[in-house]
Amino acid sequence: MLAITHACALVGLDGQMIEVQVDFNPRAGLPSFTIVGLPDSAVRESRERVRAAIKNSRLRFPGKAYIVNLSPADIPKHGPAYDLAIAVGALAATDQIPLEAVENAVFVGELSLDGRIRHVNGVLPMAYAAQVAGFTTIYVPSEDAPQAGLVNGIDIIPLETLGELVEHVYGLQPIPTYAREEITLRNTSIPDGLTDFTDVKGQEHVKRALEIAAAGHHNVRMVGSPGVGKSLLARAMPGILPSLTIEEAIEITRIYSVADQLNGDGLIQVRPFQAPHHTISQAGLVGGGTIPRPGAVSLSHFGLLFLDECTEFSSKALEVLRQPIEDKIVTISRARGSVTFPANFLLVLAHNPCPCGYYGDMTRTCTCTPNNIKRYQNKLSGPLIDRIDIHIEVPRVDYDKLLDSKQGETSAVVQDRVEAARERQKARFKDYTAIFANGDMSAGEVQKMCQLADDARQLLDLSVRKMHLSARAYHRILKLSRTIADLDVQDIIELNHVAEALQYRAQG
């Protein structure tokens, strides 16, 4: 007897519906269980999990011939998420579940040998794909129901065991549909474990630079001796970024669902903050692997990517950042196709000025030779530095400021100014679907959106000639000036706005 159920595959960040065809032949001689349709090892092993789970759920598993076809057969199938659909197909093919019970339903979950249904990654995009395909119900592990519940228009049935599913189908112990909660965001913007701006003593000019970076989505490079507060400042920056919108939160949650980093949570509530160690591989940074998975740049989507001691990262890992900085996406190509992950992140780099860390320090003597300093600073290539809008030196904080009990501005106060500047940008770019902030503008949009006062234009023209800036650097200074003007609630870029933007550029 043939039974057909439905599961879902992950292709990048998208779900792809899979038809699970289970054929049971009671007249076969020797028992067999064959799975076809480009399964990987985890999918092939599901036959043992399915057999044990059915038997240990006190259901029948006749020892005859089973053939399972996962269609379309040209899509590679990875992971244990097909277990539940295969088990339900086997039960339907052996007349233990009515066929009409599996119509218009999708089954997602890994089976334990005792019949428990375990968590799988990527449930959110799977639920969305099922809803788009017109299915009315999706059965998921109970711990994955909150993320599946973010998708409207489809009933979510949370499951603990395979036996519960059978009792539900026959109406013996009906399982209530998962009750969705209204999608709301917490009134907080500082991720757990990070810092408030008011806890950072001194460094007012650096805080100003970070405020500009947050307001216009500009990349930052901080240079300073060890212990001056570069990491502390970077960890305070997420608290001044604009609050998440519902659309941004759902897109971030989709990435974390595929990367299996939701930890049982539903909607991501705050902007991501990623600070990978300098030993991270190229694939770990931008994504990759045999089965392509999002890397740190995609996990920083709509958030902040902080590379502390960036000169210690491998040159290959740093250079692959150039494409996602420009295009806001990462494309990973493999023999069987390519996948694209979003990567619209704010990059913050921090490093010492030299190998010993004290070049230019007023209190410690540098022990490096000029050649060592030059070689160290050249670890960041010119094209990568050219993609950084703000270059800022972080000096050592005076001892008196550290002891000062006076509190500085909180992250919430700075965030209010940042959000006001973003609202001006949102109104300016209302007719542009791919531009969310000044830092996203292309060269064409820069010419349209950056209106300069006469004296500001004269200063910029003179600076371009004197500093021998590239065309990219010229446009980045204009974008930075536009953000500074937005913070000052000015439509025209004035002389002081360009002067401040040049100050940040001159130190790069």
Side-chain angles (χ1 to χ4, degrees):
M1 180 178 176
L2 176 66
I4 296 176
T5 61
H6 291 88
C8 194
L10 283 177
V11 182
L13 292 184
D14 299 317
Q16 170 71 48
M17 298 313 304
I18 300 297
E19 188 176 86
V20 181
Q21 305 164 355
V22 181
D23 182 70
F24 170 66
N25 185 357
R27 296 184 179 85
L30 295 176
S32 62
F33 197 128
T34 305
I35 300 177
V36 297
L38 285 184
D40 70 350
S41 298
V43 179
R44 286 193 294 269
E45 290 171 354
S46 68
R47 59 193 174 196
E48 308 302 333
R49 293 191 294 272
V50 167
R51 181 186 290 113
I54 290 177
K55 289 182 176 180
N56 291 327
S57 298
R58 298 183 180 180
L59 299 166
R60 293 184 298 107
F61 190 85
K64 300 296 181 179
Y66 298 81
I67 297 179
V68 179
N69 178 41
L70 305 177
S71 176
D74 60 341
I75 297 177
K77 318 301 187 304
H78 307 288
Y82 305 94
D83 288 5
L84 183 59
I86 293 173
V88 170
L91 292 173
T94 54
D95 291 327
Q96 298 179 76
I97 287 181
L99 287 176
E100 57 270 18
V102 301
E103 294 177 354
N104 291 320
V106 177
F107 300 87
V108 175
E110 175 188 345
L111 285 175
S112 296
L113 298 186
D114 59 359
R116 285 180 294 115
I117 299 174
R118 297 170 55 88
H119 152 81
V120 294
N121 64 301
V123 168
L124 175 56
M126 290 180 183
Y128 180 73
Q131 186 268 335
V132 171
F135 290 92
T136 59
T137 308
I138 181 169
Y139 293 82
V140 300
S142 57
E143 62 184 290
D144 294 329
Q147 56 174 299
L150 297 174
V151 180
N152 292 317
I154 188 170
D155 292 336
I156 312 297
I157 305 297
L159 296 174
E160 292 284 350
T161 66
L162 184 61
E164 279 186 1
L165 170 60
V166 176
E167 292 179 344
H168 170 76
V169 166
Y170 281 106
L172 301 176
Q173 293 287 340
I175 302 173
T177 301
Y178 178 77
R180 292 179 175 84
E181 298 179 359
E182 183 180 355
I183 298 179
T184 56
L185 295 174
R186 294 198 307 263
N187 187 23
T188 180
S189 59
I190 302 179
D192 294 339
L194 298 186
T195 308
D196 194 286
F197 250 38
T198 192
D199 298 326
V200 181
K201 300 293 185 179
Q203 307 291 14
E204 300 304 327
H205 72 295
V206 183
K207 293 180 183 179
R208 166 68 176 176
L210 297 184
E211 178 181 341
I212 295 169
H217 201 265
H218 301 287
N219 300 320
V220 182
R221 178 170 72 110
M222 294 186 288
V223 184
S225 302
V228 297
K230 302 186 297 294
S231 299
L232 184 66
L233 285 159
R235 293 181 178 276
M237 194 172 176
I240 66 171
L241 294 175
S243 300
L244 278 176
T245 65
I246 294 294
E247 294 76 14
E248 289 174 337
I250 291 176
E251 186 166 351
I252 295 169
T253 304
R254 188 163 64 111
I255 297 171
Y256 275 69
S257 175
V258 170
D260 200 15
Q261 294 194 21
L262 282 181
N263 300 321
D265 297 330
L267 190 67
I268 294 288
Q269 298 282 345
V270 294
R271 292 190 181 273
F273 176 85
Q274 291 287 315
H277 192 261
H278 63 80
T279 56
I280 191 172
S281 66
Q282 179 178 329
L285 189 59
V286 299
T290 305
I291 306 170
R293 287 286 184 263
V297 297
S298 295
L299 294 173
S300 307
H301 185 56
F302 290 142
L304 190 147
L305 175 64
F306 175 46
L307 302 186
D308 197 9
E309 300 302 336
C310 61
T311 50
E312 302 300 326
F313 285 72
S314 70
S315 58
K316 289 184 177 179
L318 290 174
E319 290 308 305
V320 296
L321 290 174
R322 288 157 55 178
Q323 183 255 339
I325 289 174
E326 291 290 332
D327 299 337
K328 313 299 183 187
I329 59 172
V330 171
T331 300
I332 302 170
S333 298
R334 293 292 181 265
R336 289 179 174 173
S338 62
V339 296
T340 299
F341 297 119
N344 188 4
F345 58 91
L346 181 61
L347 177 65
V348 177
L349 304 178
H351 65 90
N352 297 331
C354 66
C356 78
Y358 297 104
Y359 177 67
D361 194 288
M362 301 301 293
T363 61
R364 299 282 295 272
T365 302
C366 175
T367 60
C368 303
T369 64
N371 284 338
N372 285 342
I373 294 173
K374 184 176 181 180
R375 191 180 305 113
Y376 181 84
Q377 294 177 347
N378 286 341
K379 288 184 178 181
L380 295 180
S381 68
L384 179 60
I385 289 179
D386 215 25
R387 287 169 167 82
I388 307 299
D389 295 348
I390 297 177
H391 305 260
I392 189 76
E393 291 184 3
V394 184
R396 191 174 299 278
V397 181
D398 292 337
Y399 188 62
D400 292 340
K401 289 186 178 180
L402 291 176
L403 295 180
D404 190 356
S405 60
K406 182 180 178 180
Q407 295 292 315
E409 288 185 318
T410 64
S411 293
V413 172
V414 180
Q415 186 192 48
D416 288 341
R417 293 197 298 266
V418 169
E419 291 190 332
R422 284 290 183 100
E423 288 300 319
R424 290 176 61 83
Q425 296 167 52
K426 187 183 297 183
R428 182 182 302 125
F429 303 127
K430 63 181 183 299
D431 297 327
Y432 296 83
T433 57
I435 302 179
F436 303 98
N438 291 330
D440 299 327
M441 287 190 289
S442 66
E445 281 98 29
V446 167
Q447 298 299 328
K448 295 178 184 178
M449 303 296 180
C450 298
Q451 302 296 321
L452 290 163
D454 291 340
D455 53 355
R457 183 174 298 281
Q458 291 173 6
L459 174 61
L460 183 57
D461 291 345
L462 178 63
S463 301
V464 167
R465 291 184 175 88
K466 292 289 185 180
M467 298 167 64
H468 305 290
L469 298 178
S470 67
R472 179 184 289 115
Y474 168 76
H475 288 121
R476 289 190 178 277
I477 289 172
L478 277 175
K479 289 189 281 188
L480 194 57
S481 302
R482 178 67 270 168
T483 299
I484 298 171
D486 286 336
L487 284 168
D488 285 350
V489 197
Q490 296 288 330
D491 293 327
I492 302 297
I493 298 173
E494 303 290 346
L495 177 66
N496 60 306
H497 304 144
V498 174
E500 185 174 2
L502 286 168
Q503 170 194 338
Y504 297 129
R505 191 72 209 179
Q507 299 182 37

